[in-house]
Amino acid sequence: MTTKDNNYRRVLLLLLLILPIGLNAQQKDIAIRVFPSSWYNSFYEPAIDGYGLTFAYHPILNKVSRLNISAEFDVLRARNEILLGFGYNHTIAQAKKFRVSLEANLLSGIDLFKPAPLYVGGLEAGARFDYYLRRGKALFAGIGARETFCPGYRPTGVWKYSSWPVTVGLRF
């Protein structure tokens, strides 16, 4: 069995474990992300790195705490990525129509390089602003900071990326 087969099986297993949870969730969301970037391998190079689509599930722990479980697909300048995220969201302000929160996520997945995908990992932190339309429905926007690493690509080229993801989406 090759490393490529192992990577596909790991991603499939994680999706199969997360999908049933997300289908029964009360708080799911879908978002579009834009990735303004600033650093590649510690060199300053500002640009729009690309775009992504994210699906997330947020189990509520208590009044101010939620988990983040997410899956995203990103189409970026130098690569395409499939990432799974796990993290924590903490409410810092809430009113009848809005909620402001801070969140942090660990990221793990694959960069879809040829001839074989490579592991990618990272960290992300951000702020999120939810505006409630009606019970269970909300529009949201967010901004954050993200650092991702693809160690297998280090000998070949750019392996470390910094970006400032901007997110807009719908909670349902």
Side-chain angles (χ1 to χ4, degrees):
M1 191 175 327
T2 66
T3 303
K4 182 179 177 181
D5 291 337
N6 284 337
N7 286 339
Y8 284 126
R9 287 184 180 165
R10 287 180 189 136
V11 169
L12 183 60
L13 177 63
L14 285 171
L15 288 174
L16 289 175
L17 291 173
I18 292 171
L19 189 60
I21 295 170
L23 292 175
N24 297 322
Q26 294 300 314
Q27 294 197 347
K28 301 172 288 228
D29 59 48
I30 184 169
I32 296 172
R33 305 184 91 186
V34 177
F35 296 97
S37 62
S38 56
W39 299 91
Y40 294 94
N41 286 0
S42 301
F43 292 103
Y44 183 66
E45 186 181 325
I48 297 295
D49 195 28
Y51 305 90
L53 181 64
T54 302
F55 297 95
Y57 167 57
H58 306 280
I60 296 173
L61 300 175
N62 58 43
K63 259 184 132 170
V64 297
S65 302
R66 299 174 185 186
L67 291 178
N68 291 335
I69 301 170
S70 64
E72 72 181 68
F73 178 73
D74 303 320
V75 177
L76 305 167
R77 283 192 306 173
R79 69 224 182 267
N80 294 337
E81 293 179 332
I82 297 172
L83 292 170
L84 300 175
F86 183 76
Y88 176 75
N89 179 293
H90 186 79
T91 303
I92 57 173
Q94 187 158 356
K96 186 175 181 178
K97 286 290 209 178
F98 75 91
R99 176 176 174 266
V100 179
S101 60
L102 298 175
E103 59 187 20
N105 298 296
L106 293 171
L107 305 168
S108 184
I110 55 174
D111 274 352
L112 301 174
F113 288 118
K114 288 187 177 185
L118 295 172
Y119 171 79
V120 65
L123 300 168
E124 179 178 64
R128 179 173 163 146
F129 310 92
D130 290 70
Y131 178 77
Y132 296 106
L133 302 171
R134 58 182 177 187
R135 184 166 171 81
K137 306 277 190 262
L139 295 175
F140 64 89
I143 188 163
R146 174 185 272 197
E147 184 80 18
T148 55
F149 307 91
C150 184
Y153 207 65
R154 187 175 190 163
T156 312
V158 177
W159 66 281
K160 182 169 57 168
Y161 309 92
S162 299
S163 61
W164 308 96
V166 176
T167 306
V168 292
L170 174 67
R171 169 175 287 163
F172 50 94

